[in-house]
Amino acid sequence: MMLTEPFDTPWPAAGIVRALRRRASLSQRELARWAGVNHSTVGRIEAGRLVPSILLLRRILGVAGFRLAVVDEFGQVLKPMRDWQDTRDGAGRRYPSHLDTILDPEPGEWWADVYGLARPPETFHRNRRVRDAMRRRSQWEVRVAQYRGVPPPPRVRDPRFPW
């Protein structure tokens, strides 16, 4: 199933709350009481005069047993990334979300190996071309049945790391 609504349509919070209330068979006052908000807040949301924050919408949805989810254009749910407390850099910062974290890197896997710096316990690939090629190769290796008969993607090495 592919989502067909254009991305420029307004956020349908009013329709979501109305549908939720119908499904849960709750009045505006009952929903408001269970969500811990004023009943006029629910009325303003349903009338389209108030766009709720994500936190408020989650609270309203939770009253009726629903959860807020993010889906892609094909309806696949995007799962949140886990926050691993032990995978932070030396300053206590998280690694960039768009990069794959490498736990216990081998020689040549860390971008600063060429500078002779001490290797950290975890790192990531900075070169997007190498990262994307490694992801394609990994997907091909894991989904053998899906890619049966398809030749493997080429292994791409970062030219800065000849090993």
Side-chain angles (χ1 to χ4, degrees), residues 56-75:
L56 177 57
L57 185 60
R58 281 184 58 198
R59 190 168 13 151
I60 291 171
L61 291 169
V63 165
F66 290 94
R67 301 290 176 261
L68 191 60
V70 176
V71 297
D72 65 12
E73 64 206 44
F74 303 105

Side-chain angles (χ1 to χ4, degrees), residues 73-86:
E73 64 206 44
F74 303 105
Q76 297 290 321
V77 175
L78 175 68
K79 294 181 182 176
M81 292 179 73
R82 290 185 6 201
D83 186 18
W84 296 356
Q85 292 300 324
D86 59 341

Side-chain angles (χ1 to χ4, degrees), residues 49-138:
R49 293 193 320 265
L50 174 67
V51 176
S53 68
I54 296 292
L55 291 175
L56 177 57
L57 185 60
R58 281 184 58 198
R59 190 168 13 151
I60 291 171
L61 291 169
V63 165
F66 290 94
R67 301 290 176 261
L68 191 60
V70 176
V71 297
D72 65 12
E73 64 206 44
F74 303 105
Q76 297 290 321
V77 175
L78 175 68
K79 294 181 182 176
M81 292 179 73
R82 290 185 6 201
D83 186 18
W84 296 356
Q85 292 300 324
D86 59 341
T87 54
R88 293 183 181 250
D89 68 7
R93 300 171 298 217
R94 289 184 183 94
Y95 284 103
S97 296
H98 67 286
L99 302 175
D100 295 325
T101 305
I102 305 168
L103 301 178
D104 196 22
E106 297 292 325
E109 287 187 316
W110 184 39
W111 59 269
D113 275 341
V114 294
Y115 304 113
L117 299 175
R119 189 174 299 113
E122 61 275 330
T123 187
F124 53 86
H125 291 287
R126 290 180 94 177
N127 185 317
R128 181 179 298 270
R129 188 176 64 83
V130 171
R131 279 195 328 263
D132 291 345
M134 289 175 68
R135 281 186 187 136
R136 281 192 300 276
R137 180 77 186 198
S138 175

Side-chain angles (χ1 to χ4, degrees), residues 1 4 10 14 17 22 34 44 47 65 75 83 89-90 93 100 105 123 136 144 160:
M1 175 181 87
T4 57
V17 173
R22 161 84 82 173
W34 286 105
R44 289 186 1 237
D83 186 18
D89 68 7
R93 300 171 298 217
D100 295 325
T123 187
R136 281 192 300 276
V144 174
R160 296 176 299 166

